[in-house]
Amino acid sequence: MALEVYDAFGDWKRARQGADPTAHVAFVPTMGALHRGHADLIRRAQQEVGPSGHVVVSIYVNPTQFNDAADFEAYPNTREVDLRMAESAGADAVVFPQPHELYPGGVPQRVPPVDYGGLTALWEAAHRPGHFDGVVAVVRALFRQVEPNRAYFGEKDWQQLAVVSELVRREFPDLTIVPVPTRREEDGLAMSSRNVRLDERERGGASMLHAALKAVAAATETVTEVRRQSSLLEQAGWSVEYLAVVDSVTLDTHWELGRELRAIGAAHFGGVRFIDNVPVPN
Ligand code: AMP
C-alpha cells in the first residue's frame, strides 16, 4: 500500500473512519529530518502491529520544547526525504499536524510547568529550562489526537523517555511505550537530526562523548572515572554540562543495589550541544 500523507490530524481521522476499530495503532512522533534512528522506530512499530495494524508517524517541530530560539529557527526541514524514509521503513501514514490541533488556543509562549520530581528537575531539565514542559504538552496533545495502542520512543533521549513514561503512567494507562535502542554511526556517534550542522572538525571529535560514557559505564570506580573522562573531554575542547551514572528510572544518582543504571551525559563541542547515554552492565 502506498504511504498516506496528511497535512492535518483532521484529514487522517476522516480517512480512518471506515477502518477496523480493533486494528492496533502504532505511533511514532518525530520532529522530522528523519534518519536511520527514526527508521528503526518505524520498523519496530510495523513489526509489532503486523499487517492488520496501522503505523502513523507525525512530523511536527514543536516550538514550546525549544529553550533556544536559534535552535528552533535552524531546525532542518526535509519533507520529501522524510516521506521516502518513512515509507521504506514501513509507515502507513505520515501526518504533519496543524498547530491549532495541538494548541487550540494558539501556540503559547509558555506551557504549564510539569513537576514529576527529579525527572523534570535534574540533568536536561536543569540545563534546558522549560524543555520538558513543552515535551509533555506536545506529547499529551499528540496522544489525544492519535489515541494509539503503542508509541515508540528512542533511548537516545533517555530522560525524555522517562518523562513520557511517567506521563503515560499518570494519564494514559492503556498506552504502551516501547523504547528503541540508539542507532549510531560507525564511530559511535548517536544519530541525530542536528548532526547535519556539524563541520568537519566537530564531526571528527563528536564521538568522544559516547567513548567517555562507555568508559564510565565500564568502570568500577565510577566517581573517579567520571572525573577522568570529564577532564579528558575538557582537554579536547569540550565543555561538559553533566556526566553521571544514574538510576535508569528515577535518574537519581543515589541508587540501590539491583537497580538498572545508565551513564548519561551532555556536553558542547564547537557550536553544538550533544547528549547521549549507555547502559551500565550489571
Ligand atoms: P526527534 O525527531 O529528534 O524528536 O526524535 C523522534 C524520536 O526518535 C524520539 O523518540 C527520539 O528519541 C528518537 N531518536 C532520535 N535519534 C535516535 C537514534 N539515533 N536512535 C534511536 N532513536 C532515535
Side-chain angles (χ1 to χ4, degrees):
M1 279 256 286
L3 180 73
E4 302 163 30
V5 183
Y6 302 100
D7 281 310
F9 273 122
D11 298 340
W12 174 71
K13 281 189 222 178
R14 266 189 292 284
R16 294 283 302 155
Q17 261 163 11
D20 173 3
T22 63
H24 274 205
V25 174
F27 178 38
V28 183
T30 80
M31 299 205 297
L34 301 188
H35 50 66
R36 281 181 286 145
H38 296 111
D40 285 350
L41 272 62
I42 298 168
R43 210 171 295 115
R44 177 81 175 272
Q46 174 34 241
Q47 284 161 0
E48 289 189 358
V49 290
S52 64
H54 183 80
V55 176
V56 56
V57 176
S58 67
I59 297 184
Y60 178 68
V61 184
N62 173 39
T64 69
Q65 74 187 68
F66 284 80
N67 55 320
D68 174 351
D71 185 28
F72 174 67
E73 291 302 328
Y75 207 81
N77 173 346
T78 57
R79 179 176 169 123
E80 293 309 315
V81 178
D82 290 357
L83 293 178
R84 280 201 295 278
M85 192 127 192
E87 181 167 30
S88 69
D92 295 299
V94 174
V95 181
F96 295 87
Q98 291 298 313
H100 71 81
E101 297 181 301
L102 303 172
Y103 299 106
V107 179
Q109 278 298 332
R110 272 221 186 121
V111 291
V114 177
D115 182 0
Y116 294 164
L119 294 184
T120 49
L122 299 164
W123 317 117
E124 286 301 287
H127 288 276
R128 300 186 65 188
H131 170 63
F132 288 123
D133 302 335
V135 168
V136 167
V138 78
V139 170
R140 179 191 285 125
L142 288 165
F143 286 168
R144 285 182 181 160
Q145 287 286 345
V146 177
E147 299 184 39
N149 302 93
R150 303 167 85 80
Y152 295 76
F153 286 83
E155 292 182 352
K156 150 104 194 318
D157 301 288
W158 188 265
Q159 191 168 356
Q160 169 172 280
L161 178 61
V163 168
V164 169
S165 300
E166 183 59 22
L167 167 70
V168 165
R169 199 183 66 75
R170 291 177 185 224
E171 298 182 28
F172 300 90
D174 297 331
L175 169 57
T176 302
I177 296 296
V178 182
V180 179
T182 304
R183 168 72 72 160
R184 299 181 181 281
E185 304 287 355
E186 252 169 47
D187 66 353
L189 173 65
M191 288 191 182
S192 162
S193 305
R194 293 181 178 90
N195 288 354
V196 294
R197 295 184 196 161
L198 304 179
D199 65 25
E200 215 172 304
R201 191 187 76 89
E202 289 161 348
R203 178 63 193 88
S207 64
M208 278 191 74
L209 178 61
H210 176 240
L213 288 166
K214 279 207 307 191
V216 167
T220 40
E221 287 293 332
T222 303
V223 177
T224 315
E225 194 59 25
V226 163
R227 215 174 279 148
R228 210 171 80 83
Q229 292 300 328
S230 299
S231 65
L232 282 174
L233 285 169
E234 298 276 348
Q235 279 161 30
W238 288 71
S239 163
V240 178
E241 283 187 351
Y242 60 84
L243 203 58
V245 172
V246 299
D247 182 300
S248 65
V249 176
T250 64
L251 300 188
D252 210 310
T253 46
H254 300 284
W255 60 80
E256 287 165 25
L257 224 59
R259 299 284 299 179
E260 270 194 32
L261 305 179
R262 206 87 193 169
I264 62 170
H268 292 260
F269 183 60
V272 187
R273 182 175 189 272
F274 295 86
I275 63 168
D276 202 349
N277 69 88
V278 300
V280 175
N282 290 330

Short mmCIF file of all heavy atoms in Angstrom, two decimals, residues 216 219-231:
data_model
loop_
_atom_site.label_atom_id
_atom_site.label_comp_id
_atom_site.label_asym_id
_atom_site.label_seq_id
_atom_site.Cartn_x
_atom_site.Cartn_y
_atom_site.Cartn_z
N VAL A 216 32.90 5.27 31.46
CA VAL A 216 32.26 5.47 32.77
C VAL A 216 31.40 4.25 33.12
O VAL A 216 31.43 3.75 34.26
CB VAL A 216 31.42 6.77 32.77
CG1 VAL A 216 30.50 6.82 33.97
CG2 VAL A 216 32.32 8.00 32.72
N ALA A 219 33.50 1.25 34.27
CA ALA A 219 34.42 1.42 35.41
C ALA A 219 33.82 0.88 36.71
O ALA A 219 32.60 0.89 36.89
CB ALA A 219 34.74 2.90 35.58
N THR A 220 34.69 0.44 37.61
CA THR A 220 34.21 0.04 38.93
C THR A 220 34.22 1.26 39.86
O THR A 220 33.34 1.42 40.70
CB THR A 220 35.08 -1.09 39.53
OG1 THR A 220 36.44 -0.80 39.22
CG2 THR A 220 34.70 -2.44 38.98
N GLU A 221 35.22 2.12 39.67
CA GLU A 221 35.30 3.36 40.46
C GLU A 221 34.62 4.47 39.67
O GLU A 221 35.27 5.27 38.98
CB GLU A 221 36.77 3.72 40.72
CG GLU A 221 37.45 2.83 41.73
CD GLU A 221 36.88 3.02 43.13
OE1 GLU A 221 36.39 4.13 43.42
OE2 GLU A 221 36.90 2.05 43.91
N THR A 222 33.29 4.53 39.77
CA THR A 222 32.52 5.43 38.91
C THR A 222 32.93 6.90 39.07
O THR A 222 33.16 7.59 38.08
CB THR A 222 31.02 5.29 39.25
OG1 THR A 222 30.68 3.93 39.07
CG2 THR A 222 30.17 6.14 38.34
N VAL A 223 33.03 7.33 40.32
CA VAL A 223 33.29 8.75 40.57
C VAL A 223 34.64 9.16 39.98
O VAL A 223 34.75 10.21 39.32
CB VAL A 223 33.25 9.05 42.09
CG1 VAL A 223 33.60 10.50 42.37
CG2 VAL A 223 31.88 8.71 42.65
N THR A 224 35.65 8.31 40.19
CA THR A 224 36.98 8.60 39.64
C THR A 224 36.93 8.66 38.11
O THR A 224 37.53 9.53 37.49
CB THR A 224 37.97 7.48 40.05
OG1 THR A 224 37.77 7.20 41.43
CG2 THR A 224 39.40 7.86 39.80
N GLU A 225 36.21 7.72 37.53
CA GLU A 225 36.17 7.65 36.06
C GLU A 225 35.39 8.84 35.47
O GLU A 225 35.76 9.36 34.43
CB GLU A 225 35.55 6.31 35.62
CG GLU A 225 35.77 5.98 34.15
CD GLU A 225 37.24 5.91 33.73
OE1 GLU A 225 38.10 5.64 34.59
OE2 GLU A 225 37.52 6.15 32.54
N VAL A 226 34.32 9.24 36.15
CA VAL A 226 33.58 10.42 35.68
C VAL A 226 34.51 11.63 35.66
O VAL A 226 34.56 12.40 34.69
CB VAL A 226 32.35 10.70 36.58
CG1 VAL A 226 31.82 12.12 36.38
CG2 VAL A 226 31.24 9.70 36.30
N ARG A 227 35.29 11.76 36.73
CA ARG A 227 36.22 12.89 36.82
C ARG A 227 37.27 12.81 35.70
O ARG A 227 37.56 13.79 35.04
CB ARG A 227 36.89 12.87 38.20
CG ARG A 227 37.15 14.25 38.74
CD ARG A 227 37.67 14.20 40.16
NE ARG A 227 36.61 14.01 41.16
CZ ARG A 227 36.76 13.35 42.30
NH1 ARG A 227 37.89 12.75 42.58
NH2 ARG A 227 35.78 13.27 43.17
N ARG A 228 37.82 11.60 35.50
CA ARG A 228 38.85 11.40 34.48
C ARG A 228 38.31 11.70 33.08
O ARG A 228 38.92 12.44 32.30
CB ARG A 228 39.34 9.94 34.55
CG ARG A 228 40.78 9.74 34.12
CD ARG A 228 41.22 8.31 34.43
NE ARG A 228 40.74 7.38 33.41
CZ ARG A 228 41.36 7.17 32.26
NH1 ARG A 228 42.49 7.80 31.99
NH2 ARG A 228 40.88 6.34 31.36
N GLN A 229 37.14 11.15 32.78
CA GLN A 229 36.57 11.34 31.43
C GLN A 229 36.15 12.79 31.21
O GLN A 229 36.30 13.32 30.11
CB GLN A 229 35.37 10.40 31.21
CG GLN A 229 35.75 8.94 31.15
CD GLN A 229 36.72 8.61 30.01
OE1 GLN A 229 36.70 9.24 28.95
NE2 GLN A 229 37.60 7.66 30.24
N SER A 230 35.66 13.44 32.25
CA SER A 230 35.28 14.86 32.11
C SER A 230 36.51 15.68 31.77
O SER A 230 36.47 16.55 30.88
CB SER A 230 34.67 15.41 33.40
OG SER A 230 33.51 14.69 33.72
N SER A 231 37.63 15.41 32.46
CA SER A 231 38.80 16.24 32.17
C SER A 231 39.40 15.88 30.81
O SER A 231 39.90 16.77 30.10
CB SER A 231 39.82 16.23 33.31
OG SER A 231 40.35 14.96 33.45
#
